[in-house]
Amino acid sequence: MVINTNLQAQINADNLQTTQSRLAKSLGRLSSGSKLTSPSDDAGGLADATRLDAQVKRTQAANSNVSSAISFTQTQDGYLANVSKALNRMSELSMMAQDATKTDTDRSSYDSEFQQLCTYVTTAGNKDFNGVSLFSTNALAVTIDSEGATFTMSGIDMSGTTYTNATSSGISTTGAAVAALGFIKTALTQLSSDRATIGSYQARLNYGADQLTVSGQNLAAAASQIEDVDVANESTEFAKQNLLSQTGTAMLAQANQ
């Protein structure tokens, strides 16, 4: 029997301190929702989770870029669809102006509408999207993944001779109407090709957006496995440590007695 040293009380105090530390860590995990409340919890896991979280953010940003590019091409096609209607009407007016029973006065009336449509087509070719020209020779490089890979969309140019020949023509005479019809048919052929090109870009971008969405989900799931706490398991651990803390406190009091 000894008096100066209460060995059982010291052992109980050490056990209680360990329990309190585990209880505090469990409480921190439950309150934060993260298993990694400090780097010492899992240094390697923390490094992996940090990289995965960064990649998730980059993937989301790339998806946003792709969505903007899709909107860009949709806006392009919206204008070209209306330009197609205008060119179709211009070709119709050109044919009507070639009617041998019409006078130049009649043709002048047709030409008034024709010129308004020419102005509309020219104006459409000068439109932009958030300050970026919709129709130019400039290509656009769209970032399509988290590593910075790009997909290049060639410019759709409406300032070339194919379109300007049509919009600078007139139908005030039979000869002019014949020439105008030829220019318009060429412009319609080019417009069909341009819309097909835009459609192919949209298809490519849509597949890219789908892939980015799936990749983002998988990366987030991988990061979650490392850093997110399992609430059911951690609640059980918290209850265990809480009970040990209470019994440890009681046993320390008993040992001191």
Side-chain angles (χ1 to χ4, degrees):
M1 178 177 176
V2 295
I3 298 175
N4 291 332
T5 302
N6 189 341
L7 185 60
Q8 291 302 319
Q10 290 180 353
I11 293 174
N12 285 335
D14 290 341
N15 289 337
L16 181 59
Q17 184 177 7
T18 300
T19 299
Q20 292 287 4
S21 176
R22 291 174 179 173
L23 181 63
K25 181 171 291 188
S26 181
L27 182 60
R29 287 173 175 173
L30 287 171
S31 62
S32 67
S34 174
K35 288 188 291 187
L36 308 177
T37 56
S38 69
S40 61
D41 291 337
D42 183 358
L46 178 63
D48 290 340
T50 300
R51 288 194 297 269
L52 287 171
D53 286 338
Q55 191 170 0
V56 169
K57 294 298 183 182
R58 294 197 305 271
T59 300
Q60 291 172 344
N63 204 350
S64 177
N65 291 348
V66 170
S67 296
S68 295
I70 292 173
S71 296
F72 182 90
T73 59
Q74 290 172 338
T75 304
Q76 281 182 312
D77 190 61
Y79 275 109
L80 290 183
N82 286 323
V83 168
S84 177
K85 294 178 183 178
L87 290 174
N88 285 335
R89 177 57 178 167
M90 289 165 65
S91 67
E92 182 182 1
L93 292 170
S94 298
M95 288 297 297
M96 294 169 64
Q98 295 177 42
D99 186 348
T101 65
K102 298 292 191 302
T103 65
D104 284 348
T105 301
D106 296 326
R107 295 185 184 93
S108 179
S109 298
Y110 293 145
D111 190 54
S112 295
E113 181 183 354
F114 186 92
Q115 295 304 322
Q116 291 298 322
L117 293 173
C118 288
T119 301
Y120 171 78
V121 173
T122 301
T123 301
N126 295 325
K127 298 298 182 180
D128 61 51
F129 180 92
N130 193 35
V132 179
S133 177
L134 285 166
F135 305 105
S136 71
T137 57
N138 297 327
L140 295 179
V142 184
T143 305
I144 56 173
D145 67 18
S146 62
E147 303 308 315
T150 59
F151 164 64
T152 301
M153 300 191 300
S154 299
I156 303 297
D157 185 22
M158 290 186 64
S159 62
T161 56
T162 302
Y163 289 105
T164 58
N165 284 341
T167 57
S168 61
S169 59
I171 57 173
S172 57
T173 66
T174 301
V178 171
L181 181 59
F183 291 140
I184 294 167
K185 289 168 66 177
T186 301
L188 281 167
T189 300
Q190 181 62 49
L191 184 140
S192 299
S193 176
D194 288 340
R195 292 192 71 186
T197 299
I198 291 172
S200 68
Y201 292 159
Q202 287 181 354
R204 172 69 178 83
L205 291 169
N206 283 327
Y207 280 115
D210 291 343
Q211 180 59 54
L212 286 169
T213 299
V214 173
S215 296
Q217 292 172 348
N218 291 335
L219 289 168
S224 176
Q225 289 293 323
I226 298 172
E227 60 186 353
D228 288 346
V229 69
D230 185 328
V231 176
N233 288 339
E234 198 61 45
S235 295
T236 301
E237 177 66 17
F238 176 77
K240 171 186 172 183
Q241 298 302 330
N242 194 33
L243 181 60
L244 286 174
S245 176
Q246 294 174 17
T247 56
T249 300
M251 292 305 100
L252 179 60
Q254 184 65 35
N256 284 332
Q257 288 179 7

